[in-house]
PDB file of all heavy atoms in Angstrom:
ATOM      1  N   MET A 202     178.109  74.552-152.615  1.00  0.00           N
ATOM      2  CA  MET A 202     178.929  73.455-152.097  1.00  0.00           C
ATOM      3  C   MET A 202     180.332  73.439-152.686  1.00  0.00           C
ATOM      4  O   MET A 202     181.224  72.811-152.129  1.00  0.00           O
ATOM      5  CB  MET A 202     178.273  72.105-152.398  1.00  0.00           C
ATOM      6  CG  MET A 202     177.130  71.742-151.516  1.00  0.00           C
ATOM      7  SD  MET A 202     176.537  70.118-152.032  1.00  0.00           S
ATOM      8  CE  MET A 202     175.594  69.678-150.614  1.00  0.00           C
ATOM      9  N   GLY A 203     180.510  74.093-153.814  1.00  0.00           N
ATOM     10  CA  GLY A 203     181.822  74.111-154.450  1.00  0.00           C
ATOM     11  C   GLY A 203     182.919  74.593-153.525  1.00  0.00           C
ATOM     12  O   GLY A 203     184.070  74.142-153.617  1.00  0.00           O
ATOM     13  N   GLU A 204     182.576  75.492-152.619  1.00  0.00           N
ATOM     14  CA  GLU A 204     183.569  76.025-151.678  1.00  0.00           C
ATOM     15  C   GLU A 204     184.174  74.928-150.806  1.00  0.00           C
ATOM     16  O   GLU A 204     185.301  75.049-150.348  1.00  0.00           O
ATOM     17  CB  GLU A 204     182.922  77.088-150.785  1.00  0.00           C
ATOM     18  CG  GLU A 204     182.448  78.313-151.543  1.00  0.00           C
ATOM     19  CD  GLU A 204     181.713  79.295-150.646  1.00  0.00           C
ATOM     20  OE1 GLU A 204     181.706  79.096-149.418  1.00  0.00           O
ATOM     21  OE2 GLU A 204     181.154  80.269-151.185  1.00  0.00           O
ATOM     22  N   LEU A 205     183.429  73.843-150.600  1.00  0.00           N
ATOM     23  CA  LEU A 205     183.922  72.750-149.752  1.00  0.00           C
ATOM     24  C   LEU A 205     185.135  72.054-150.362  1.00  0.00           C
ATOM     25  O   LEU A 205     185.917  71.446-149.645  1.00  0.00           O
ATOM     26  CB  LEU A 205     182.805  71.731-149.498  1.00  0.00           C
ATOM     27  CG  LEU A 205     181.568  72.269-148.782  1.00  0.00           C
ATOM     28  CD1 LEU A 205     180.463  71.228-148.770  1.00  0.00           C
ATOM     29  CD2 LEU A 205     181.914  72.685-147.353  1.00  0.00           C
ATOM     30  N   VAL A 206     185.257  72.128-151.698  1.00  0.00           N
ATOM     31  CA  VAL A 206     186.406  71.497-152.357  1.00  0.00           C
ATOM     32  C   VAL A 206     187.232  72.530-153.136  1.00  0.00           C
ATOM     33  O   VAL A 206     187.899  72.206-154.102  1.00  0.00           O
ATOM     34  CB  VAL A 206     185.949  70.346-153.285  1.00  0.00           C
ATOM     35  CG1 VAL A 206     185.374  69.194-152.485  1.00  0.00           C
ATOM     36  CG2 VAL A 206     184.949  70.832-154.328  1.00  0.00           C
ATOM     37  N   ASP A 207     187.159  73.774-152.700  1.00  0.00           N
ATOM     38  CA  ASP A 207     187.935  74.868-153.287  1.00  0.00           C
ATOM     39  C   ASP A 207     187.695  75.040-154.781  1.00  0.00           C
ATOM     40  O   ASP A 207     188.628  75.178-155.569  1.00  0.00           O
ATOM     41  CB  ASP A 207     189.436  74.660-153.036  1.00  0.00           C
ATOM     42  CG  ASP A 207     189.753  74.604-151.558  1.00  0.00           C
ATOM     43  OD1 ASP A 207     189.136  75.380-150.802  1.00  0.00           O
ATOM     44  OD2 ASP A 207     190.588  73.777-151.153  1.00  0.00           O
ATOM     45  N   THR A 208     186.442  75.002-155.188  1.00  0.00           N
ATOM     46  CA  THR A 208     186.108  75.287-156.570  1.00  0.00           C
ATOM     47  C   THR A 208     184.902  76.223-156.584  1.00  0.00           C
ATOM     48  O   THR A 208     184.179  76.324-155.594  1.00  0.00           O
ATOM     49  CB  THR A 208     185.802  74.002-157.372  1.00  0.00           C
ATOM     50  OG1 THR A 208     185.629  74.333-158.746  1.00  0.00           O
ATOM     51  CG2 THR A 208     184.550  73.304-156.865  1.00  0.00           C
ATOM     52  N   THR A 209     184.733  76.920-157.671  1.00  0.00           N
ATOM     53  CA  THR A 209     183.603  77.850-157.771  1.00  0.00           C
ATOM     54  C   THR A 209     182.829  77.569-159.061  1.00  0.00           C
ATOM     55  O   THR A 209     183.007  78.246-160.062  1.00  0.00           O
ATOM     56  CB  THR A 209     184.098  79.315-157.768  1.00  0.00           C
ATOM     57  OG1 THR A 209     185.110  79.453-158.785  1.00  0.00           O
ATOM     58  CG2 THR A 209     184.668  79.704-156.441  1.00  0.00           C
ATOM     59  N   PRO A 210     181.973  76.532-159.012  1.00  0.00           N
ATOM     60  CA  PRO A 210     181.184  76.233-160.213  1.00  0.00           C
ATOM     61  C   PRO A 210     180.196  77.348-160.504  1.00  0.00           C
ATOM     62  O   PRO A 210     179.669  77.976-159.583  1.00  0.00           O
ATOM     63  CB  PRO A 210     180.462  74.935-159.849  1.00  0.00           C
ATOM     64  CG  PRO A 210     180.407  74.935-158.364  1.00  0.00           C
ATOM     65  CD  PRO A 210     181.650  75.655-157.899  1.00  0.00           C
ATOM     66  N   GLY A 211     179.986  77.598-161.775  1.00  0.00           N
ATOM     67  CA  GLY A 211     178.979  78.577-162.160  1.00  0.00           C
ATOM     68  C   GLY A 211     177.588  78.012-161.949  1.00  0.00           C
ATOM     69  O   GLY A 211     177.399  76.786-161.873  1.00  0.00           O
ATOM     70  N   TYR A 212     176.610  78.890-161.859  1.00  0.00           N
ATOM     71  CA  TYR A 212     175.238  78.420-161.643  1.00  0.00           C
ATOM     72  C   TYR A 212     174.774  77.571-162.823  1.00  0.00           C
ATOM     73  O   TYR A 212     174.077  76.572-162.653  1.00  0.00           O
ATOM     74  CB  TYR A 212     174.286  79.596-161.425  1.00  0.00           C
ATOM     75  CG  TYR A 212     172.897  79.141-161.063  1.00  0.00           C
ATOM     76  CD1 TYR A 212     172.619  78.713-159.769  1.00  0.00           C
ATOM     77  CD2 TYR A 212     171.876  79.093-162.007  1.00  0.00           C
ATOM     78  CE1 TYR A 212     171.346  78.260-159.424  1.00  0.00           C
ATOM     79  CE2 TYR A 212     170.613  78.646-161.670  1.00  0.00           C
ATOM     80  CZ  TYR A 212     170.348  78.228-160.382  1.00  0.00           C
ATOM     81  OH  TYR A 212     169.099  77.768-160.048  1.00  0.00           O
ATOM     82  N   HIS A 213     175.201  77.946-164.030  1.00  0.00           N
ATOM     83  CA  HIS A 213     174.792  77.198-165.216  1.00  0.00           C
ATOM     84  C   HIS A 213     175.280  75.755-165.156  1.00  0.00           C
ATOM     85  O   HIS A 213     174.524  74.813-165.435  1.00  0.00           O
ATOM     86  CB  HIS A 213     175.326  77.895-166.473  1.00  0.00           C
ATOM     87  CG  HIS A 213     174.855  77.267-167.744  1.00  0.00           C
ATOM     88  ND1 HIS A 213     175.487  76.168-168.301  1.00  0.00           N
ATOM     89  CD2 HIS A 213     173.811  77.555-168.556  1.00  0.00           C
ATOM     90  CE1 HIS A 213     174.845  75.824-169.407  1.00  0.00           C
ATOM     91  NE2 HIS A 213     173.825  76.652-169.580  1.00  0.00           N
ATOM     92  N   ASP A 214     176.556  75.550-164.781  1.00  0.00           N
ATOM     93  CA  ASP A 214     177.102  74.193-164.675  1.00  0.00           C
ATOM     94  C   ASP A 214     176.419  73.421-163.548  1.00  0.00           C
ATOM     95  O   ASP A 214     176.147  72.225-163.679  1.00  0.00           O
ATOM     96  CB  ASP A 214     178.611  74.240-164.451  1.00  0.00           C
ATOM     97  CG  ASP A 214     179.353  74.801-165.652  1.00  0.00           C
ATOM     98  OD1 ASP A 214     178.881  74.588-166.784  1.00  0.00           O
ATOM     99  OD2 ASP A 214     180.384  75.470-165.460  1.00  0.00           O
ATOM    100  N   SER A 215     176.146  74.096-162.442  1.00  0.00           N
ATOM    101  CA  SER A 215     175.438  73.460-161.330  1.00  0.00           C
ATOM    102  C   SER A 215     174.031  73.053-161.760  1.00  0.00           C
ATOM    103  O   SER A 215     173.543  71.980-161.401  1.00  0.00           O
ATOM    104  CB  SER A 215     175.351  74.414-160.140  1.00  0.00           C
ATOM    105  OG  SER A 215     176.632  74.777-159.687  1.00  0.00           O
ATOM    106  N   PHE A 216     173.399  73.900-162.564  1.00  0.00           N
ATOM    107  CA  PHE A 216     172.062  73.592-163.057  1.00  0.00           C
ATOM    108  C   PHE A 216     172.088  72.384-163.984  1.00  0.00           C
ATOM    109  O   PHE A 216     171.192  71.532-163.935  1.00  0.00           O
ATOM    110  CB  PHE A 216     171.449  74.798-163.770  1.00  0.00           C
ATOM    111  CG  PHE A 216     170.031  74.570-164.205  1.00  0.00           C
ATOM    112  CD1 PHE A 216     168.990  74.766-163.312  1.00  0.00           C
ATOM    113  CD2 PHE A 216     169.740  74.139-165.475  1.00  0.00           C
ATOM    114  CE1 PHE A 216     167.675  74.531-163.689  1.00  0.00           C
ATOM    115  CE2 PHE A 216     168.431  73.900-165.872  1.00  0.00           C
ATOM    116  CZ  PHE A 216     167.396  74.096-164.972  1.00  0.00           C
ATOM    117  N   MET A 217     173.131  72.297-164.836  1.00  0.00           N
ATOM    118  CA  MET A 217     173.229  71.144-165.735  1.00  0.00           C
ATOM    119  C   MET A 217     173.307  69.840-164.936  1.00  0.00           C
ATOM    120  O   MET A 217     172.652  68.855-165.271  1.00  0.00           O
ATOM    121  CB  MET A 217     174.436  71.280-166.675  1.00  0.00           C
ATOM    122  CG  MET A 217     174.209  72.266-167.805  1.00  0.00           C
ATOM    123  SD  MET A 217     175.383  72.109-169.179  1.00  0.00           S
ATOM    124  CE  MET A 217     176.895  72.653-168.423  1.00  0.00           C
ATOM    125  N   LEU A 218     174.108  69.841-163.869  1.00  0.00           N
ATOM    126  CA  LEU A 218     174.215  68.642-163.045  1.00  0.00           C
ATOM    127  C   LEU A 218     172.892  68.352-162.337  1.00  0.00           C
ATOM    128  O   LEU A 218     172.431  67.200-162.308  1.00  0.00           O
ATOM    129  CB  LEU A 218     175.342  68.786-162.022  1.00  0.00           C
ATOM    130  CG  LEU A 218     175.623  67.534-161.178  1.00  0.00           C
ATOM    131  CD1 LEU A 218     176.089  66.378-162.065  1.00  0.00           C
ATOM    132  CD2 LEU A 218     176.661  67.834-160.106  1.00  0.00           C
ATOM    133  N   ALA A 219     172.265  69.387-161.799  1.00  0.00           N
ATOM    134  CA  ALA A 219     170.987  69.204-161.094  1.00  0.00           C
ATOM    135  C   ALA A 219     169.888  68.732-162.039  1.00  0.00           C
ATOM    136  O   ALA A 219     168.955  68.050-161.617  1.00  0.00           O
ATOM    137  CB  ALA A 219     170.572  70.520-160.418  1.00  0.00           C
ATOM    138  N   ALA A 220     169.993  69.078-163.318  1.00  0.00           N
ATOM    139  CA  ALA A 220     168.980  68.675-164.297  1.00  0.00           C
ATOM    140  C   ALA A 220     169.200  67.258-164.801  1.00  0.00           C
ATOM    141  O   ALA A 220     168.244  66.531-165.058  1.00  0.00           O
ATOM    142  CB  ALA A 220     168.985  69.648-165.476  1.00  0.00           C
ATOM    143  N   ILE A 221     170.454  66.838-164.917  1.00  0.00           N
ATOM    144  CA  ILE A 221     170.751  65.534-165.515  1.00  0.00           C
ATOM    145  C   ILE A 221     170.795  64.418-164.478  1.00  0.00           C
ATOM    146  O   ILE A 221     170.354  63.296-164.734  1.00  0.00           O
ATOM    147  CB  ILE A 221     172.064  65.618-166.309  1.00  0.00           C
ATOM    148  CG1 ILE A 221     171.830  66.495-167.542  1.00  0.00           C
ATOM    149  CG2 ILE A 221     172.566  64.241-166.720  1.00  0.00           C
ATOM    150  CD1 ILE A 221     173.048  66.903-168.267  1.00  0.00           C
ATOM    151  N   ALA A 222     171.299  64.704-163.278  1.00  0.00           N
ATOM    152  CA  ALA A 222     171.466  63.658-162.256  1.00  0.00           C
ATOM    153  C   ALA A 222     170.182  62.906-161.907  1.00  0.00           C
ATOM    154  O   ALA A 222     170.221  61.692-161.708  1.00  0.00           O
ATOM    155  CB  ALA A 222     172.100  64.254-161.005  1.00  0.00           C
ATOM    156  N   PRO A 223     169.010  63.561-161.831  1.00  0.00           N
ATOM    157  CA  PRO A 223     167.813  62.802-161.453  1.00  0.00           C
ATOM    158  C   PRO A 223     167.165  62.017-162.591  1.00  0.00           C
ATOM    159  O   PRO A 223     166.124  61.392-162.395  1.00  0.00           O
ATOM    160  CB  PRO A 223     166.851  63.875-160.927  1.00  0.00           C
ATOM    161  CG  PRO A 223     167.333  65.155-161.465  1.00  0.00           C
ATOM    162  CD  PRO A 223     168.778  65.008-161.809  1.00  0.00           C
ATOM    163  N   THR A 224     167.774  62.008-163.769  1.00  0.00           N
ATOM    164  CA  THR A 224     167.180  61.316-164.922  1.00  0.00           C
ATOM    165  C   THR A 224     166.777  59.878-164.602  1.00  0.00           C
ATOM    166  O   THR A 224     165.643  59.467-164.884  1.00  0.00           O
ATOM    167  CB  THR A 224     168.125  61.371-166.136  1.00  0.00           C
ATOM    168  OG1 THR A 224     168.379  62.740-166.461  1.00  0.00           O
ATOM    169  CG2 THR A 224     167.510  60.676-167.341  1.00  0.00           C
ATOM    170  N   PRO A 225     167.670  59.050-164.012  1.00  0.00           N
ATOM    171  CA  PRO A 225     167.248  57.675-163.703  1.00  0.00           C
ATOM    172  C   PRO A 225     166.072  57.606-162.733  1.00  0.00           C
ATOM    173  O   PRO A 225     165.218  56.721-162.841  1.00  0.00           O
ATOM    174  CB  PRO A 225     168.500  57.042-163.079  1.00  0.00           C
ATOM    175  CG  PRO A 225     169.638  57.869-163.569  1.00  0.00           C
ATOM    176  CD  PRO A 225     169.093  59.257-163.694  1.00  0.00           C
ATOM    177  N   LEU A 226     166.007  58.547-161.790  1.00  0.00           N
ATOM    178  CA  LEU A 226     164.901  58.549-160.833  1.00  0.00           C
ATOM    179  C   LEU A 226     163.580  58.886-161.520  1.00  0.00           C
ATOM    180  O   LEU A 226     162.542  58.285-161.221  1.00  0.00           O
ATOM    181  CB  LEU A 226     165.184  59.529-159.696  1.00  0.00           C
ATOM    182  CG  LEU A 226     166.339  59.120-158.781  1.00  0.00           C
ATOM    183  CD1 LEU A 226     166.724  60.264-157.855  1.00  0.00           C
ATOM    184  CD2 LEU A 226     165.968  57.893-157.972  1.00  0.00           C
ATOM    185  N   TRP A 227     163.619  59.854-162.424  1.00  0.00           N
ATOM    186  CA  TRP A 227     162.406  60.177-163.180  1.00  0.00           C
ATOM    187  C   TRP A 227     161.953  58.966-163.990  1.00  0.00           C
ATOM    188  O   TRP A 227     160.785  58.610-163.987  1.00  0.00           O
ATOM    189  CB  TRP A 227     162.641  61.376-164.095  1.00  0.00           C
ATOM    190  CG  TRP A 227     162.680  62.690-163.397  1.00  0.00           C
ATOM    191  CD1 TRP A 227     161.916  63.080-162.336  1.00  0.00           C
ATOM    192  CD2 TRP A 227     163.522  63.802-163.700  1.00  0.00           C
ATOM    193  NE1 TRP A 227     162.236  64.375-161.977  1.00  0.00           N
ATOM    194  CE2 TRP A 227     163.216  64.850-162.801  1.00  0.00           C
ATOM    195  CE3 TRP A 227     164.508  64.045-164.661  1.00  0.00           C
ATOM    196  CZ2 TRP A 227     163.841  66.082-162.819  1.00  0.00           C
ATOM    197  CZ3 TRP A 227     165.140  65.281-164.684  1.00  0.00           C
ATOM    198  CH2 TRP A 227     164.816  66.287-163.767  1.00  0.00           C
ATOM    199  N   LEU A 228     162.897  58.327-164.674  1.00  0.00           N
ATOM    200  CA  LEU A 228     162.557  57.183-165.518  1.00  0.00           C
ATOM    201  C   LEU A 228     162.118  55.973-164.690  1.00  0.00           C
ATOM    202  O   LEU A 228     161.319  55.159-165.154  1.00  0.00           O
ATOM    203  CB  LEU A 228     163.749  56.808-166.407  1.00  0.00           C
ATOM    204  CG  LEU A 228     164.147  57.859-167.452  1.00  0.00           C
ATOM    205  CD1 LEU A 228     165.402  57.423-168.193  1.00  0.00           C
ATOM    206  CD2 LEU A 228     163.006  58.113-168.436  1.00  0.00           C
TER     207      LEU A 228
END
C-alpha cells in the first residue's frame, strides 16, 4: 500500500505496524 502515497516501507516496518495496531482488539 505504500505505493499509494509514494513511499516504500520495508516489510519489517510494515510488520511492526501490523503487530502493534491490533493490540486494543486483542485486549
Side-chain angles (χ1 to χ4, degrees):
M202 283 181 163
E204 296 175 8
L205 299 172
V206 293
D207 300 321
T208 186
T209 52
Y212 186 78
H213 185 276
D214 294 328
S215 300
F216 184 84
M217 284 197 292
L218 185 63
I221 291 168
T224 301
L226 292 169
W227 285 323
L228 294 176

